[in-house]
Amino acid sequence: SNREFFSSLDVINKIMTLEKLQMINGQLTIKARNNTEIILQNTSLLLNSREVVKSPTVTSVEKSVEELKFSKGVLKLKDLLVKMENAYFDGKKNRLLFEKLNLYNPDQRFNVSTKNTLLGNVQFDDSLNIISADTVSWGQARIEINNLSKETRKGTSALAIMLKMLNGNNTVVDINNENSSLSFTLNSISANTFSKKEKLHAEKLTTIGKDFYYYTAGTEITAANFSINDLSPSAVNSILIKQNRGANSIFANIPEATFTPDINSIVSENTEIKNLRLLYPELTISTKEKVTTKELKSFPEIKIDQLEIIGPVFKIENSHSKKLPVLSWDGRKNKLMATNIQSEKATGKVSISSLDAAFSDFSFTGSVGKTTKSKEVQINTRFENLVLQNGEKINWSVKLKELVAKNYSADSFNKKPAQVKIYSGKLEDLTVNSENLSSFPELIKENPSFSVSNISGFFMDEKKSISWQNLVYHKAAKTISLDTITYLPVMSRDAFIAAHPFQTDYMTFRSGKILATDFDLDRYLDDSTLRLGDLNIANPFFTSYRDKRPPFKSGIIKPLPTKLIQKIPFSISIDTLKIENGTTVYTELNDKNNETGLIPVTRMSGDIFPIKNFDLTGKDSLRIRLNGYLLDSAWIRLRTRESYLDSLSGFLITLRMRPRSLLYLNEVLEPLASVNLQSGYLDTLLMRAVATEYLSLGEMRMFYRDLKVKFHRNSYEEKKRFLTGLMTFIANNFVIKNDNKKRVGVVYFPRIRDRSFINYYIKIAMSGMASSVGAKKNKRLLRKYKKQLKIRQLPPIDFD
């Protein structure tokens, strides 16, 4: 057959497609007009010459080869050199097997070396500069790609590659760019198709690899193992990221990342990834110097349908900042979930549809070097519509749909020692952006529908303890509410009294539901004025205890209600303070008999209005309208009206009580006055008086019958003495009127200005009672009143 082959060379040489085809001493040389050349050494060639004679073309020569063997060979194309060793071509199956194969281009932009390589149906179209094969496999390979700068590349057209049924093992890949390098090892790789024209393209690409390494100036990324499957679940293990910018650094450790990639979108720089999941990543950011970014880099084109981060650990070391040098978060019990993450290269925009995150176990170091840990705190958040826009500066916005916090605690408040505990809290519908974050008023104004709710906690400093339940604020409704609030001194009652050298009041307070309406937060942030419509307080419970045995510190003038309101250190306006089912309990330890008297007023309801300390006019008056039960027994009604601008703080006070037996008063009279009512019934009590800063005048209609009293010593009748019996006899027969059906008593009392306004109210009422029962004479009281007017140079009180 060799003789037949060589005898037909004359015919083949006449075909213009080939310039040379010859075999001399086992070396086969083929040259074409486009400088394509094949040189094969130690060649064994088996041809079917009949096919060549029938149709003398290159294609017929190719089809006539039944078997080809050679030890070494070289294929020279326009931009490609191929070196081959120990090759075998099976013409019947159209397969090429190489023990060694090396492909590279003259300028070394790529270099591929393989062992035990199989190529099926290899085709080369010199006019289109395309190499194709139906089957490609290898046992070992090394691929080197060098992307040189545009200035150093030759002006040659790129070689196109079209491969099918790709399957390889033990492949080392090195890719070098001007400023970066990338290397990794593929234990195995397979693909249904693999092609490269302008960009790479693969179908059903599957790889298992290791030793991933990427380097560029200041950045290193490594991964121990990876398994990448096109459009199928994939994983990368032991990812390390190191970045250094001057004295600043970033370190990230990701034990495992799982995802579903679209390989072709990644290669085309339009990355699409699904179900990205990071397990227990650790991130440390160390900032030692402040860096100003001169030029912002554009964001790559990326789409991620879902990102889940399990158990992150995060730490910031900000040594150039004095405010917050260290912040850390141990989130190994937490996770983050983001959906529809998209980065647009053309517009410089990054968006995230939703981000759900759980946080706990924070710690931070403050400006004084003290580290605060909060292992019990739990924060669950949901963000929506996060948008980051690149430009001259980065602008961003995000809607905080919901934030739920639990178990927050701190050991200081406004740089002062204090215990702060927030058991729970919820924030909803707050949109934050790069412009309004630095201005709290702007942030609030741009969020007309945000709300906070379920805020419960307590505050305690060295003097007081305050706890509350379910604080709620709705901006759209302009309402603030509390389920309950409690105020207590930190010290016990006896320790508190012992710590004060003078008489003082030990006070406590708690309440039920509190609701404030018409609170305009925007307006408050504009002018720092607290404006409320109605302030409703349900079930308030107030106690006050005073020990009368220590000396009284005199000389400190106590203001009346309107002046007390005007002393509030901030501007305030409350249309109406409404009280429902309130209770006040006043307790006094008598300094003469060491007895304790308790005066409760229960079932108290009513209103106080208006409460304000700015924009006052001559027509503004404070009104108090309260109803309650004295000692939980006798119905009583109090009404006052006090001018805000009257220099003498003049006010009108009225008091009314319903008919009832008077014996219930013994609960107070015995311990506080050593007096006991033996009998007595009140038919009616009506007091009307006018008072000023200095004195009061009025009248009382106190009609009663069968009133008898008894005096005793130290409240124990078994030690009855002659003096107490004599006092009882004189009081019942000469001083006190046993019955009063029409006599009107005079109300007169000169105010003791270093006592509270409540003390003034009580003394006004007691003066009218004393006058009504005959203990004080009306004429004598009126003379005292007129004398005080002259001494103080005051105008007379006008009841009209």
Side-chain angles (χ1 to χ4, degrees), residues 458-461 463-467 486-490:
F458 81 88
F459 168 88
M460 183 171 66
D461 60 15
K463 294 182 179 181
K464 59 186 175 297
S465 171
I466 303 173
S467 61
T486 301
Y487 167 90
L488 293 171
V490 172

Side-chain angles (χ1 to χ4, degrees), residues 104 154 191 195 212 250 338 434 447 527 530 536 546 736:
Y104 61 94
K154 294 182 179 179
S195 62
F212 178 93
I250 297 175
S434 52
N447 285 275
D527 59 14
L530 179 62
N536 301 276
R546 172 164 290 215
I736 297 177

Side-chain angles (χ1 to χ4, degrees), residues 468-514:
W468 66 93
Q469 293 289 329
N470 193 24
L471 171 65
V472 177
Y473 169 65
H474 290 287
K475 187 182 180 186
K478 297 183 179 181
T479 59
I480 305 175
S481 66
L482 275 168
D483 282 355
T484 181
I485 188 169
T486 301
Y487 167 90
L488 293 171
V490 172
M491 300 176 68
S492 67
R493 188 185 71 180
D494 293 341
F496 182 85
I497 297 300
H500 289 76
F502 299 98
Q503 291 183 26
T504 187
D505 293 311
Y506 182 87
M507 294 180 290
T508 69
F509 175 79
R510 73 171 184 267
S511 79
K513 183 80 172 182
I514 298 177

